[in-house]
Each structure stands twice: as C-alpha cells, then as structure tokens.
PDB file of all heavy atoms in Angstrom:
ATOM      1  N   PRO A   1     126.348 123.429  74.638  1.00  0.00           N
ATOM      2  CA  PRO A   1     125.673 124.274  75.634  1.00  0.00           C
ATOM      3  C   PRO A   1     126.650 124.898  76.617  1.00  0.00           C
ATOM      4  O   PRO A   1     127.713 124.327  76.919  1.00  0.00           O
ATOM      5  CB  PRO A   1     124.733 123.290  76.338  1.00  0.00           C
ATOM      6  CG  PRO A   1     125.413 121.965  76.197  1.00  0.00           C
ATOM      7  CD  PRO A   1     126.094 121.994  74.853  1.00  0.00           C
ATOM      8  N   SER A   2     126.281 126.052  77.109  1.00  0.00           N
ATOM      9  CA  SER A   2     127.126 126.706  78.122  1.00  0.00           C
ATOM     10  C   SER A   2     127.233 125.851  79.374  1.00  0.00           C
ATOM     11  O   SER A   2     128.286 125.793  80.014  1.00  0.00           O
ATOM     12  CB  SER A   2     126.546 128.084  78.468  1.00  0.00           C
ATOM     13  OG  SER A   2     126.592 128.937  77.349  1.00  0.00           O
ATOM     14  N   ASP A   3     126.129 125.190  79.737  1.00  0.00           N
ATOM     15  CA  ASP A   3     126.122 124.296  80.893  1.00  0.00           C
ATOM     16  C   ASP A   3     125.944 122.869  80.386  1.00  0.00           C
ATOM     17  O   ASP A   3     124.820 122.423  80.143  1.00  0.00           O
ATOM     18  CB  ASP A   3     124.996 124.668  81.866  1.00  0.00           C
ATOM     19  CG  ASP A   3     125.195 126.047  82.462  1.00  0.00           C
ATOM     20  OD1 ASP A   3     126.315 126.339  82.911  1.00  0.00           O
ATOM     21  OD2 ASP A   3     124.232 126.834  82.460  1.00  0.00           O
ATOM     22  N   TRP A   4     127.052 122.162  80.199  1.00  0.00           N
ATOM     23  CA  TRP A   4     127.027 120.822  79.612  1.00  0.00           C
ATOM     24  C   TRP A   4     126.868 119.770  80.697  1.00  0.00           C
ATOM     25  O   TRP A   4     127.517 119.848  81.748  1.00  0.00           O
ATOM     26  CB  TRP A   4     128.326 120.593  78.841  1.00  0.00           C
ATOM     27  CG  TRP A   4     128.404 119.277  78.126  1.00  0.00           C
ATOM     28  CD1 TRP A   4     127.407 118.640  77.466  1.00  0.00           C
ATOM     29  CD2 TRP A   4     129.555 118.444  78.016  1.00  0.00           C
ATOM     30  NE1 TRP A   4     127.860 117.456  76.926  1.00  0.00           N
ATOM     31  CE2 TRP A   4     129.181 117.313  77.250  1.00  0.00           C
ATOM     32  CE3 TRP A   4     130.876 118.545  78.470  1.00  0.00           C
ATOM     33  CZ2 TRP A   4     130.077 116.285  76.945  1.00  0.00           C
ATOM     34  CZ3 TRP A   4     131.764 117.533  78.159  1.00  0.00           C
ATOM     35  CH2 TRP A   4     131.374 116.423  77.403  1.00  0.00           C
ATOM     36  N   ASN A   5     126.030 118.762  80.450  1.00  0.00           N
ATOM     37  CA  ASN A   5     125.802 117.711  81.442  1.00  0.00           C
ATOM     38  C   ASN A   5     126.672 116.476  81.209  1.00  0.00           C
ATOM     39  O   ASN A   5     126.478 115.443  81.863  1.00  0.00           O
ATOM     40  CB  ASN A   5     124.325 117.315  81.494  1.00  0.00           C
ATOM     41  CG  ASN A   5     123.828 116.675  80.201  1.00  0.00           C
ATOM     42  OD1 ASN A   5     124.603 116.294  79.325  1.00  0.00           O
ATOM     43  ND2 ASN A   5     122.512 116.567  80.065  1.00  0.00           N
ATOM     44  N   GLY A   6     127.604 116.567  80.262  1.00  0.00           N
ATOM     45  CA  GLY A   6     128.505 115.444  80.026  1.00  0.00           C
ATOM     46  C   GLY A   6     127.995 114.432  79.031  1.00  0.00           C
ATOM     47  O   GLY A   6     128.659 113.417  78.778  1.00  0.00           O
ATOM     48  N   ARG A   7     126.806 114.682  78.431  1.00  0.00           N
ATOM     49  CA  ARG A   7     126.208 113.752  77.485  1.00  0.00           C
ATOM     50  C   ARG A   7     126.112 114.393  76.095  1.00  0.00           C
ATOM     51  O   ARG A   7     126.156 115.612  75.956  1.00  0.00           O
ATOM     52  CB  ARG A   7     124.806 113.351  77.920  1.00  0.00           C
ATOM     53  CG  ARG A   7     124.680 112.780  79.326  1.00  0.00           C
ATOM     54  CD  ARG A   7     123.225 112.486  79.631  1.00  0.00           C
ATOM     55  NE  ARG A   7     123.018 111.907  80.942  1.00  0.00           N
ATOM     56  CZ  ARG A   7     122.660 112.598  82.027  1.00  0.00           C
ATOM     57  NH1 ARG A   7     122.512 113.932  81.949  1.00  0.00           N
ATOM     58  NH2 ARG A   7     122.464 111.993  83.173  1.00  0.00           N
ATOM     59  N   SER A   8     125.916 113.522  75.079  1.00  0.00           N
ATOM     60  CA  SER A   8     125.646 114.021  73.735  1.00  0.00           C
ATOM     61  C   SER A   8     124.474 113.267  73.136  1.00  0.00           C
ATOM     62  O   SER A   8     124.189 112.129  73.524  1.00  0.00           O
ATOM     63  CB  SER A   8     126.879 113.860  72.828  1.00  0.00           C
ATOM     64  OG  SER A   8     127.110 112.497  72.534  1.00  0.00           O
ATOM     65  N   LEU A   9     123.807 113.917  72.178  1.00  0.00           N
ATOM     66  CA  LEU A   9     122.666 113.315  71.492  1.00  0.00           C
ATOM     67  C   LEU A   9     122.769 113.618  70.008  1.00  0.00           C
ATOM     68  O   LEU A   9     122.762 114.777  69.599  1.00  0.00           O
ATOM     69  CB  LEU A   9     121.343 113.872  72.041  1.00  0.00           C
ATOM     70  CG  LEU A   9     120.075 113.450  71.292  1.00  0.00           C
ATOM     71  CD1 LEU A   9     119.884 111.938  71.354  1.00  0.00           C
ATOM     72  CD2 LEU A   9     118.850 114.168  71.858  1.00  0.00           C
ATOM     73  N   GLN A  10     122.870 112.566  69.206  1.00  0.00           N
ATOM     74  CA  GLN A  10     122.854 112.707  67.751  1.00  0.00           C
ATOM     75  C   GLN A  10     121.436 112.500  67.250  1.00  0.00           C
ATOM     76  O   GLN A  10     120.771 111.545  67.635  1.00  0.00           O
ATOM     77  CB  GLN A  10     123.798 111.700  67.090  1.00  0.00           C
ATOM     78  CG  GLN A  10     123.869 111.847  65.571  1.00  0.00           C
ATOM     79  CD  GLN A  10     125.021 111.065  64.952  1.00  0.00           C
ATOM     80  OE1 GLN A  10     125.845 110.498  65.658  1.00  0.00           O
ATOM     81  NE2 GLN A  10     125.087 111.033  63.639  1.00  0.00           N
ATOM     82  N   TYR A  11     120.998 113.413  66.377  1.00  0.00           N
ATOM     83  CA  TYR A  11     119.666 113.342  65.789  1.00  0.00           C
ATOM     84  C   TYR A  11     119.749 112.654  64.422  1.00  0.00           C
ATOM     85  O   TYR A  11     120.650 112.938  63.631  1.00  0.00           O
ATOM     86  CB  TYR A  11     119.103 114.740  65.550  1.00  0.00           C
ATOM     87  CG  TYR A  11     118.559 115.473  66.757  1.00  0.00           C
ATOM     88  CD1 TYR A  11     119.341 115.712  67.884  1.00  0.00           C
ATOM     89  CD2 TYR A  11     117.258 115.967  66.756  1.00  0.00           C
ATOM     90  CE1 TYR A  11     118.843 116.416  68.968  1.00  0.00           C
ATOM     91  CE2 TYR A  11     116.752 116.672  67.834  1.00  0.00           C
ATOM     92  CZ  TYR A  11     117.550 116.899  68.945  1.00  0.00           C
ATOM     93  OH  TYR A  11     117.051 117.591  70.011  1.00  0.00           O
ATOM     94  N   GLY A  12     118.780 111.791  64.117  1.00  0.00           N
ATOM     95  CA  GLY A  12     118.681 111.195  62.797  1.00  0.00           C
ATOM     96  C   GLY A  12     117.935 112.102  61.836  1.00  0.00           C
ATOM     97  O   GLY A  12     117.378 113.129  62.220  1.00  0.00           O
ATOM     98  N   GLY A  13     117.915 111.710  60.575  1.00  0.00           N
ATOM     99  CA  GLY A  13     117.267 112.509  59.531  1.00  0.00           C
ATOM    100  C   GLY A  13     115.882 112.018  59.183  1.00  0.00           C
ATOM    101  O   GLY A  13     115.184 111.424  60.007  1.00  0.00           O
ATOM    102  N   GLY A  14     115.473 112.235  57.919  1.00  0.00           N
ATOM    103  CA  GLY A  14     114.150 111.829  57.478  1.00  0.00           C
ATOM    104  C   GLY A  14     114.058 111.809  55.963  1.00  0.00           C
ATOM    105  O   GLY A  14     114.784 112.537  55.270  1.00  0.00           O
ATOM    106  N   GLY A  15     113.177 110.950  55.423  1.00  0.00           N
ATOM    107  CA  GLY A  15     113.007 110.863  53.980  1.00  0.00           C
ATOM    108  C   GLY A  15     114.298 110.446  53.302  1.00  0.00           C
ATOM    109  O   GLY A  15     114.942 109.468  53.676  1.00  0.00           O
ATOM    110  N   PHE A  16     114.701 111.211  52.296  1.00  0.00           N
ATOM    111  CA  PHE A  16     115.987 110.983  51.641  1.00  0.00           C
ATOM    112  C   PHE A  16     117.037 111.975  52.140  1.00  0.00           C
ATOM    113  O   PHE A  16     118.083 112.149  51.519  1.00  0.00           O
ATOM    114  CB  PHE A  16     115.838 111.082  50.122  1.00  0.00           C
ATOM    115  CG  PHE A  16     115.181 109.871  49.509  1.00  0.00           C
ATOM    116  CD1 PHE A  16     113.800 109.779  49.403  1.00  0.00           C
ATOM    117  CD2 PHE A  16     115.942 108.805  49.070  1.00  0.00           C
ATOM    118  CE1 PHE A  16     113.201 108.669  48.856  1.00  0.00           C
ATOM    119  CE2 PHE A  16     115.360 107.684  48.516  1.00  0.00           C
ATOM    120  CZ  PHE A  16     113.976 107.612  48.406  1.00  0.00           C
ATOM    121  N   ASN A  17     116.745 112.592  53.282  1.00  0.00           N
ATOM    122  CA  ASN A  17     117.653 113.580  53.884  1.00  0.00           C
ATOM    123  C   ASN A  17     117.926 114.718  52.899  1.00  0.00           C
ATOM    124  O   ASN A  17     117.034 115.136  52.187  1.00  0.00           O
ATOM    125  CB  ASN A  17     118.924 112.901  54.375  1.00  0.00           C
ATOM    126  CG  ASN A  17     118.676 112.060  55.616  1.00  0.00           C
ATOM    127  OD1 ASN A  17     117.705 112.260  56.325  1.00  0.00           O
ATOM    128  ND2 ASN A  17     119.548 111.105  55.868  1.00  0.00           N
ATOM    129  N   GLY A  18     119.163 115.237  52.879  1.00  0.00           N
ATOM    130  CA  GLY A  18     119.447 116.375  52.011  1.00  0.00           C
ATOM    131  C   GLY A  18     119.161 117.709  52.659  1.00  0.00           C
ATOM    132  O   GLY A  18     119.275 118.760  52.027  1.00  0.00           O
ATOM    133  N   VAL A  19     118.780 117.695  53.936  1.00  0.00           N
ATOM    134  CA  VAL A  19     118.536 118.910  54.719  1.00  0.00           C
ATOM    135  C   VAL A  19     119.352 118.792  55.998  1.00  0.00           C
ATOM    136  O   VAL A  19     119.358 117.730  56.635  1.00  0.00           O
ATOM    137  CB  VAL A  19     117.036 119.072  55.047  1.00  0.00           C
ATOM    138  CG1 VAL A  19     116.813 120.279  55.951  1.00  0.00           C
ATOM    139  CG2 VAL A  19     116.211 119.190  53.776  1.00  0.00           C
ATOM    140  N   LEU A  20     120.026 119.846  56.387  1.00  0.00           N
ATOM    141  CA  LEU A  20     120.845 119.793  57.591  1.00  0.00           C
ATOM    142  C   LEU A  20     119.966 119.613  58.824  1.00  0.00           C
ATOM    143  O   LEU A  20     119.059 120.412  59.084  1.00  0.00           O
ATOM    144  CB  LEU A  20     121.673 121.071  57.731  1.00  0.00           C
ATOM    145  CG  LEU A  20     122.568 121.141  58.978  1.00  0.00           C
ATOM    146  CD1 LEU A  20     123.610 120.029  58.970  1.00  0.00           C
ATOM    147  CD2 LEU A  20     123.234 122.512  59.080  1.00  0.00           C
ATOM    148  N   ILE A  21     120.219 118.565  59.573  1.00  0.00           N
ATOM    149  CA  ILE A  21     119.547 118.339  60.852  1.00  0.00           C
ATOM    150  C   ILE A  21     120.313 119.111  61.918  1.00  0.00           C
ATOM    151  O   ILE A  21     121.480 118.818  62.193  1.00  0.00           O
ATOM    152  CB  ILE A  21     119.496 116.838  61.187  1.00  0.00           C
ATOM    153  CG1 ILE A  21     118.798 116.054  60.064  1.00  0.00           C
ATOM    154  CG2 ILE A  21     118.801 116.615  62.519  1.00  0.00           C
ATOM    155  CD1 ILE A  21     117.385 116.473  59.782  1.00  0.00           C
ATOM    156  N   THR A  22     119.661 120.100  62.490  1.00  0.00           N
ATOM    157  CA  THR A  22     120.366 121.038  63.366  1.00  0.00           C
ATOM    158  C   THR A  22     120.573 120.522  64.788  1.00  0.00           C
ATOM    159  O   THR A  22     121.493 120.974  65.484  1.00  0.00           O
ATOM    160  CB  THR A  22     119.615 122.372  63.455  1.00  0.00           C
ATOM    161  OG1 THR A  22     118.355 122.149  64.121  1.00  0.00           O
ATOM    162  CG2 THR A  22     119.373 122.950  62.064  1.00  0.00           C
ATOM    163  N   GLY A  23     119.689 119.635  65.259  1.00  0.00           N
ATOM    164  CA  GLY A  23     119.775 119.215  66.655  1.00  0.00           C
ATOM    165  C   GLY A  23     119.218 120.232  67.629  1.00  0.00           C
ATOM    166  O   GLY A  23     119.447 120.123  68.836  1.00  0.00           O
ATOM    167  N   LEU A  24     118.459 121.204  67.120  1.00  0.00           N
ATOM    168  CA  LEU A  24     117.904 122.254  67.984  1.00  0.00           C
ATOM    169  C   LEU A  24     116.435 122.020  68.331  1.00  0.00           C
ATOM    170  O   LEU A  24     115.908 122.661  69.236  1.00  0.00           O
ATOM    171  CB  LEU A  24     118.048 123.617  67.301  1.00  0.00           C
ATOM    172  CG  LEU A  24     119.472 124.079  67.031  1.00  0.00           C
ATOM    173  CD1 LEU A  24     119.466 125.409  66.269  1.00  0.00           C
ATOM    174  CD2 LEU A  24     120.260 124.223  68.339  1.00  0.00           C
ATOM    175  N   GLY A  25     115.759 121.129  67.604  1.00  0.00           N
ATOM    176  CA  GLY A  25     114.339 120.907  67.816  1.00  0.00           C
ATOM    177  C   GLY A  25     114.069 119.790  68.803  1.00  0.00           C
ATOM    178  O   GLY A  25     114.955 119.321  69.536  1.00  0.00           O
ATOM    179  N   LEU A  26     112.808 119.345  68.813  1.00  0.00           N
ATOM    180  CA  LEU A  26     112.426 118.235  69.682  1.00  0.00           C
ATOM    181  C   LEU A  26     112.784 116.917  69.006  1.00  0.00           C
ATOM    182  O   LEU A  26     112.578 116.747  67.808  1.00  0.00           O
ATOM    183  CB  LEU A  26     110.918 118.271  69.951  1.00  0.00           C
ATOM    184  CG  LEU A  26     110.371 119.531  70.628  1.00  0.00           C
ATOM    185  CD1 LEU A  26     108.871 119.385  70.861  1.00  0.00           C
ATOM    186  CD2 LEU A  26     111.084 119.792  71.958  1.00  0.00           C
ATOM    187  N   PRO A  27     113.307 115.963  69.745  1.00  0.00           N
ATOM    188  CA  PRO A  27     113.598 114.650  69.157  1.00  0.00           C
ATOM    189  C   PRO A  27     112.313 113.851  68.955  1.00  0.00           C
ATOM    190  O   PRO A  27     111.227 114.293  69.365  1.00  0.00           O
ATOM    191  CB  PRO A  27     114.511 113.997  70.200  1.00  0.00           C
ATOM    192  CG  PRO A  27     114.162 114.657  71.483  1.00  0.00           C
ATOM    193  CD  PRO A  27     113.733 116.056  71.142  1.00  0.00           C
ATOM    194  N   PRO A  28     112.382 112.668  68.333  1.00  0.00           N
ATOM    195  CA  PRO A  28     111.179 111.887  68.030  1.00  0.00           C
ATOM    196  C   PRO A  28     110.347 111.559  69.253  1.00  0.00           C
ATOM    197  O   PRO A  28     110.885 111.213  70.311  1.00  0.00           O
ATOM    198  CB  PRO A  28     111.748 110.608  67.410  1.00  0.00           C
ATOM    199  CG  PRO A  28     113.079 110.983  66.897  1.00  0.00           C
ATOM    200  CD  PRO A  28     113.597 112.030  67.826  1.00  0.00           C
ATOM    201  N   ALA A  29     109.026 111.678  69.103  1.00  0.00           N
ATOM    202  CA  ALA A  29     108.037 111.279  70.107  1.00  0.00           C
ATOM    203  C   ALA A  29     108.098 112.104  71.383  1.00  0.00           C
ATOM    204  O   ALA A  29     107.471 111.766  72.371  1.00  0.00           O
ATOM    205  CB  ALA A  29     108.198 109.783  70.449  1.00  0.00           C
ATOM    206  N   TYR A  30     108.817 113.198  71.374  1.00  0.00           N
ATOM    207  CA  TYR A  30     109.101 113.967  72.588  1.00  0.00           C
ATOM    208  C   TYR A  30     107.888 114.809  73.001  1.00  0.00           C
ATOM    209  O   TYR A  30     107.240 115.430  72.159  1.00  0.00           O
ATOM    210  CB  TYR A  30     110.280 114.876  72.288  1.00  0.00           C
ATOM    211  CG  TYR A  30     111.075 115.363  73.466  1.00  0.00           C
ATOM    212  CD1 TYR A  30     111.889 114.504  74.183  1.00  0.00           C
ATOM    213  CD2 TYR A  30     111.041 116.697  73.837  1.00  0.00           C
ATOM    214  CE1 TYR A  30     112.662 114.962  75.241  1.00  0.00           C
ATOM    215  CE2 TYR A  30     111.811 117.171  74.885  1.00  0.00           C
ATOM    216  CZ  TYR A  30     112.618 116.300  75.585  1.00  0.00           C
ATOM    217  OH  TYR A  30     113.382 116.762  76.627  1.00  0.00           O
TER     218      TYR A  30
END
C-alpha cells in the first residue's frame, strides 16, 4: 500500500488450492 501501517497479512487458500490468492479481498469471517 502507498500508506503502509507497518504490518503484513498473509491469506490462506481453500480446497486443494491451485488458484492464486491475491490478498485483495475480505479475509475469513470479515
């Protein structure tokens, strides 16, 4: 991000994966 808060968040996958998880959507239960 242009304005970084000093933190990072890694997103997990789903099923058998095989699809790029972009990290642009909402995380679980959000």
